mmCIF file of all heavy atoms in Angstrom:
data_model
loop_
_atom_site.group_PDB
_atom_site.id
_atom_site.type_symbol
_atom_site.label_atom_id
_atom_site.label_comp_id
_atom_site.label_asym_id
_atom_site.label_seq_id
_atom_site.Cartn_x
_atom_site.Cartn_y
_atom_site.Cartn_z
ATOM 1 N N SER I 65 21.069 89.712 143.912
ATOM 2 C CA SER I 65 20.896 88.749 145.087
ATOM 3 C C SER I 65 19.504 88.423 145.746
ATOM 4 O O SER I 65 18.550 88.299 145.140
ATOM 5 C CB SER I 65 21.873 89.232 146.094
ATOM 6 O OG SER I 65 21.559 88.912 147.341
ATOM 7 N N ARG I 66 19.238 88.276 146.788
ATOM 8 C CA ARG I 66 18.339 87.572 147.749
ATOM 9 C C ARG I 66 17.026 86.931 147.243
ATOM 10 O O ARG I 66 16.500 87.413 146.296
ATOM 11 C CB ARG I 66 18.048 88.522 148.912
ATOM 12 C CG ARG I 66 16.667 88.154 149.493
ATOM 13 C CD ARG I 66 16.308 89.076 150.558
ATOM 14 N NE ARG I 66 14.888 89.376 150.485
ATOM 15 C CZ ARG I 66 14.234 89.971 151.398
ATOM 16 N NH1 ARG I 66 14.897 90.410 152.454
ATOM 17 N NH2 ARG I 66 13.001 90.272 151.216
ATOM 18 N N ALA I 67 16.651 86.083 148.058
ATOM 19 C CA ALA I 67 15.328 85.473 147.770
ATOM 20 C C ALA I 67 14.271 86.524 147.981
ATOM 21 O O ALA I 67 13.651 86.686 148.981
ATOM 22 C CB ALA I 67 15.044 84.350 148.762
ATOM 23 N N THR I 122 23.368 87.439 161.367
ATOM 24 C CA THR I 122 24.349 86.404 161.805
ATOM 25 C C THR I 122 25.723 86.955 161.347
ATOM 26 O O THR I 122 26.720 86.870 162.171
ATOM 27 C CB THR I 122 24.043 85.079 161.170
ATOM 28 O OG1 THR I 122 22.777 84.668 161.537
ATOM 29 C CG2 THR I 122 25.179 84.126 161.594
ATOM 30 N N GLN I 123 25.764 87.448 160.172
ATOM 31 C CA GLN I 123 27.057 87.993 159.619
ATOM 32 C C GLN I 123 26.676 88.843 158.415
ATOM 33 O O GLN I 123 25.553 88.726 157.888
ATOM 34 C CB GLN I 123 27.993 86.926 159.192
ATOM 35 C CG GLN I 123 27.398 85.973 158.123
ATOM 36 C CD GLN I 123 28.335 84.805 157.858
ATOM 37 O OE1 GLN I 123 29.541 84.950 157.698
ATOM 38 N NE2 GLN I 123 27.774 83.580 157.802
ATOM 39 N N THR I 124 27.557 89.739 158.028
ATOM 40 C CA THR I 124 27.295 90.506 156.811
ATOM 41 C C THR I 124 27.599 89.624 155.559
ATOM 42 O O THR I 124 28.344 88.690 155.655
ATOM 43 C CB THR I 124 28.272 91.738 156.768
ATOM 44 O OG1 THR I 124 29.651 91.337 156.927
ATOM 45 C CG2 THR I 124 27.954 92.726 157.877
ATOM 46 N N VAL I 125 26.971 90.019 154.503
ATOM 47 C CA VAL I 125 27.137 89.274 153.216
ATOM 48 C C VAL I 125 27.686 90.267 152.249
ATOM 49 O O VAL I 125 26.963 91.017 151.593
ATOM 50 C CB VAL I 125 25.779 88.715 152.736
ATOM 51 C CG1 VAL I 125 26.010 87.900 151.447
ATOM 52 C CG2 VAL I 125 25.185 87.734 153.833
ATOM 53 N N ALA I 141 18.732 91.695 149.135
ATOM 54 C CA ALA I 141 19.391 91.547 150.501
ATOM 55 C C ALA I 141 19.551 90.084 150.820
ATOM 56 O O ALA I 141 18.900 89.212 150.180
ATOM 57 C CB ALA I 141 18.484 92.231 151.559
ATOM 58 N N PRO I 142 20.355 89.738 151.785
ATOM 59 C CA PRO I 142 20.561 88.344 152.042
ATOM 60 C C PRO I 142 19.236 87.728 152.635
ATOM 61 O O PRO I 142 18.479 88.404 153.411
ATOM 62 C CB PRO I 142 21.664 88.320 153.181
ATOM 63 C CG PRO I 142 22.346 89.730 153.018
ATOM 64 C CD PRO I 142 21.276 90.627 152.575
ATOM 65 N N GLY I 143 18.975 86.474 152.280
ATOM 66 C CA GLY I 143 17.889 85.741 152.902
ATOM 67 C C GLY I 143 18.556 84.889 154.062
ATOM 68 O O GLY I 143 19.677 85.105 154.463
ATOM 69 N N ALA I 144 17.718 83.970 154.595
ATOM 70 C CA ALA I 144 18.154 83.223 155.733
ATOM 71 C C ALA I 144 19.412 82.396 155.500
ATOM 72 O O ALA I 144 20.375 82.339 156.266
ATOM 73 C CB ALA I 144 16.992 82.350 156.249
ATOM 74 N N GLU I 145 19.399 81.738 154.370
ATOM 75 C CA GLU I 145 20.572 80.906 154.066
ATOM 76 C C GLU I 145 21.820 81.702 153.700
ATOM 77 O O GLU I 145 22.964 81.352 154.128
ATOM 78 C CB GLU I 145 20.227 79.989 152.767
ATOM 79 C CG GLU I 145 21.307 78.999 152.399
ATOM 80 C CD GLU I 145 21.395 77.853 153.440
ATOM 81 O OE1 GLU I 145 20.619 77.811 154.339
ATOM 82 O OE2 GLU I 145 22.339 77.010 153.264
ATOM 83 N N GLU I 146 21.644 82.902 153.066
ATOM 84 C CA GLU I 146 22.773 83.743 152.793
ATOM 85 C C GLU I 146 23.296 84.273 154.116
ATOM 86 O O GLU I 146 24.568 84.419 154.277
ATOM 87 C CB GLU I 146 22.338 84.934 151.867
ATOM 88 C CG GLU I 146 22.082 84.487 150.433
ATOM 89 C CD GLU I 146 20.754 83.868 150.177
ATOM 90 O OE1 GLU I 146 19.916 83.807 151.160
ATOM 91 O OE2 GLU I 146 20.469 83.403 149.090
ATOM 92 N N ASP I 147 22.449 84.662 154.974
ATOM 93 C CA ASP I 147 22.823 85.151 156.268
ATOM 94 C C ASP I 147 23.649 84.164 157.077
ATOM 95 O O ASP I 147 24.596 84.459 157.703
ATOM 96 C CB ASP I 147 21.572 85.508 157.110
ATOM 97 C CG ASP I 147 21.913 85.974 158.556
ATOM 98 O OD1 ASP I 147 22.466 87.099 158.732
ATOM 99 O OD2 ASP I 147 21.528 85.158 159.445
ATOM 100 N N ARG I 148 23.293 82.881 156.923
ATOM 101 C CA ARG I 148 23.963 81.794 157.660
ATOM 102 C C ARG I 148 25.328 81.544 156.986
ATOM 103 O O ARG I 148 26.338 81.298 157.714
ATOM 104 C CB ARG I 148 23.037 80.524 157.668
ATOM 105 C CG ARG I 148 23.579 79.466 158.492
ATOM 106 C CD ARG I 148 22.718 78.233 158.469
ATOM 107 N NE ARG I 148 22.707 77.560 157.193
ATOM 108 C CZ ARG I 148 23.590 76.657 156.783
ATOM 109 N NH1 ARG I 148 24.581 76.463 157.562
ATOM 110 N NH2 ARG I 148 23.525 76.182 155.548
ATOM 111 N N ARG I 149 25.403 81.585 155.682
ATOM 112 C CA ARG I 149 26.652 81.219 155.007
ATOM 113 C C ARG I 149 27.524 82.363 154.601
ATOM 114 O O ARG I 149 28.645 82.095 154.170
ATOM 115 C CB ARG I 149 26.241 80.394 153.760
ATOM 116 C CG ARG I 149 25.615 79.003 154.088
ATOM 117 C CD ARG I 149 25.057 78.280 152.921
ATOM 118 N NE ARG I 149 26.061 78.040 151.853
ATOM 119 C CZ ARG I 149 25.819 77.414 150.736
ATOM 120 N NH1 ARG I 149 24.638 76.848 150.572
ATOM 121 N NH2 ARG I 149 26.730 77.278 149.815
ATOM 122 N N GLY I 150 26.970 83.544 154.659
ATOM 123 C CA GLY I 150 27.831 84.661 154.382
ATOM 124 C C GLY I 150 28.064 84.924 152.888
ATOM 125 O O GLY I 150 28.992 85.596 152.507
ATOM 126 N N GLU I 151 27.235 84.295 152.006
ATOM 127 C CA GLU I 151 27.368 84.434 150.576
ATOM 128 C C GLU I 151 26.061 84.689 149.938
ATOM 129 O O GLU I 151 25.073 84.077 150.305
ATOM 130 C CB GLU I 151 27.980 83.102 150.032
ATOM 131 C CG GLU I 151 28.270 83.154 148.563
ATOM 132 C CD GLU I 151 29.010 81.903 148.007
ATOM 133 O OE1 GLU I 151 29.602 81.226 148.861
ATOM 134 O OE2 GLU I 151 28.857 81.595 146.790
ATOM 135 N N PRO I 152 25.994 85.624 148.921
ATOM 136 C CA PRO I 152 24.757 85.884 148.276
ATOM 137 C C PRO I 152 24.371 84.796 147.298
ATOM 138 O O PRO I 152 25.241 84.079 146.739
ATOM 139 C CB PRO I 152 24.986 87.178 147.596
ATOM 140 C CG PRO I 152 26.538 87.166 147.231
ATOM 141 C CD PRO I 152 27.171 86.453 148.472
ATOM 142 N N PHE I 153 23.092 84.720 147.067
ATOM 143 C CA PHE I 153 22.540 83.765 146.095
ATOM 144 C C PHE I 153 23.030 82.363 146.305
ATOM 145 O O PHE I 153 23.693 81.749 145.434
ATOM 146 C CB PHE I 153 22.894 84.257 144.642
ATOM 147 C CG PHE I 153 21.875 85.190 144.075
ATOM 148 C CD1 PHE I 153 22.174 86.509 143.820
ATOM 149 C CD2 PHE I 153 20.612 84.713 143.816
ATOM 150 C CE1 PHE I 153 21.223 87.373 143.294
ATOM 151 C CE2 PHE I 153 19.663 85.620 143.346
ATOM 152 C CZ PHE I 153 19.933 86.905 143.009
ATOM 153 N N VAL I 154 22.688 81.830 147.455
ATOM 154 C CA VAL I 154 22.790 80.370 147.647
ATOM 155 C C VAL I 154 21.454 79.748 147.758
ATOM 156 O O VAL I 154 20.439 80.426 147.671
ATOM 157 C CB VAL I 154 23.713 80.121 148.941
ATOM 158 C CG1 VAL I 154 25.145 80.588 148.689
ATOM 159 C CG2 VAL I 154 23.052 80.768 150.162
ATOM 160 N N GLY I 155 21.374 78.438 147.901
ATOM 161 C CA GLY I 155 20.047 77.795 147.918
ATOM 162 C C GLY I 155 19.516 77.655 146.568
ATOM 163 O O GLY I 155 20.195 77.783 145.540
ATOM 164 N N ARG I 156 18.188 77.437 146.468
ATOM 165 C CA ARG I 156 17.548 77.100 145.239
ATOM 166 C C ARG I 156 17.624 78.316 144.212
ATOM 167 O O ARG I 156 17.830 78.145 143.053
ATOM 168 C CB ARG I 156 16.087 76.713 145.461
ATOM 169 C CG ARG I 156 15.917 75.331 146.068
ATOM 170 C CD ARG I 156 14.459 75.067 146.195
ATOM 171 N NE ARG I 156 13.790 74.864 144.939
ATOM 172 C CZ ARG I 156 12.588 75.221 144.672
ATOM 173 N NH1 ARG I 156 11.880 75.878 145.549
ATOM 174 N NH2 ARG I 156 12.102 75.037 143.457
ATOM 175 N N ALA I 157 17.411 79.494 144.799
ATOM 176 C CA ALA I 157 17.503 80.663 143.934
ATOM 177 C C ALA I 157 18.872 80.786 143.370
ATOM 178 O O ALA I 157 19.087 81.194 142.165
ATOM 179 C CB ALA I 157 17.005 81.953 144.729
ATOM 180 N N GLY I 158 19.842 80.556 144.175
ATOM 181 C CA GLY I 158 21.232 80.630 143.711
ATOM 182 C C GLY I 158 21.548 79.631 142.661
ATOM 183 O O GLY I 158 22.287 79.896 141.674
ATOM 184 N N ARG I 172 29.525 81.170 137.365
ATOM 185 C CA ARG I 172 29.268 81.980 138.495
ATOM 186 C C ARG I 172 30.598 82.710 138.879
ATOM 187 O O ARG I 172 30.566 83.884 139.331
ATOM 188 C CB ARG I 172 28.800 81.123 139.685
ATOM 189 C CG ARG I 172 28.583 81.870 140.945
ATOM 190 C CD ARG I 172 28.076 80.946 142.064
ATOM 191 N NE ARG I 172 27.907 81.608 143.392
ATOM 192 C CZ ARG I 172 26.784 82.058 143.879
ATOM 193 N NH1 ARG I 172 25.671 81.978 143.142
ATOM 194 N NH2 ARG I 172 26.743 82.577 145.081
ATOM 195 N N ASN I 179 24.504 92.393 146.865
ATOM 196 C CA ASN I 179 23.116 92.836 147.184
ATOM 197 C C ASN I 179 23.181 94.411 147.500
ATOM 198 O O ASN I 179 24.170 94.979 147.837
ATOM 199 C CB ASN I 179 22.673 92.165 148.496
ATOM 200 C CG ASN I 179 22.247 90.765 148.184
ATOM 201 O OD1 ASN I 179 21.480 90.566 147.269
ATOM 202 N ND2 ASN I 179 22.783 89.891 148.961
ATOM 203 N N LYS I 182 23.713 94.568 152.868
ATOM 204 C CA LYS I 182 24.649 93.566 153.236
ATOM 205 C C LYS I 182 24.300 92.717 154.430
ATOM 206 O O LYS I 182 24.898 91.772 154.843
ATOM 207 C CB LYS I 182 26.001 94.233 153.601
ATOM 208 C CG LYS I 182 26.545 95.196 152.540
ATOM 209 C CD LYS I 182 26.663 94.564 151.166
ATOM 210 C CE LYS I 182 27.294 95.506 150.156
ATOM 211 N NZ LYS I 182 27.115 95.133 148.770
ATOM 212 N N ARG I 184 20.789 90.843 156.515
ATOM 213 C CA ARG I 184 19.423 90.278 156.295
ATOM 214 C C ARG I 184 18.459 91.028 157.080
ATOM 215 O O ARG I 184 18.525 91.161 158.344
ATOM 216 C CB ARG I 184 19.417 88.850 156.684
ATOM 217 C CG ARG I 184 18.045 88.196 156.492
ATOM 218 C CD ARG I 184 17.935 86.943 157.181
ATOM 219 N NE ARG I 184 16.569 86.309 156.992
ATOM 220 C CZ ARG I 184 15.935 85.462 157.850
ATOM 221 N NH1 ARG I 184 16.538 85.141 158.964
ATOM 222 N NH2 ARG I 184 14.814 85.060 157.541
ATOM 223 N N ASN I 188 12.892 88.399 156.298
ATOM 224 C CA ASN I 188 13.022 88.693 154.817
ATOM 225 C C ASN I 188 12.030 89.823 154.390
ATOM 226 O O ASN I 188 11.709 89.873 153.264
ATOM 227 C CB ASN I 188 12.763 87.408 153.946
ATOM 228 C CG ASN I 188 13.842 86.462 153.933
ATOM 229 O OD1 ASN I 188 14.913 86.725 154.570
ATOM 230 N ND2 ASN I 188 13.680 85.326 153.330
ATOM 231 N N HIS I 255 13.805 88.260 139.752
ATOM 232 C CA HIS I 255 14.645 87.501 140.647
ATOM 233 C C HIS I 255 14.387 86.060 140.465
ATOM 234 O O HIS I 255 13.271 85.606 140.279
ATOM 235 C CB HIS I 255 14.278 87.940 142.122
ATOM 236 C CG HIS I 255 15.250 87.531 143.115
ATOM 237 N ND1 HIS I 255 15.413 86.200 143.559
ATOM 238 C CD2 HIS I 255 16.198 88.238 143.816
ATOM 239 C CE1 HIS I 255 16.351 86.108 144.439
ATOM 240 N NE2 HIS I 255 16.844 87.384 144.609
#
Side-chain angles (χ1 to χ4, degrees):
S65 156
R66 151 184 140 169
T122 300
Q123 59 188 313
T124 55
V125 180
E145 184 70 5
E146 287 82 3
D147 174 71
R148 188 178 68 80
R149 293 172 53 177
E151 181 174 337
F153 272 112
V154 293
R156 289 183 65 219
R172 180 179 174 98
N179 283 311
K182 309 306 186 195
R184 180 195 181 206
N188 285 356
H255 195 286

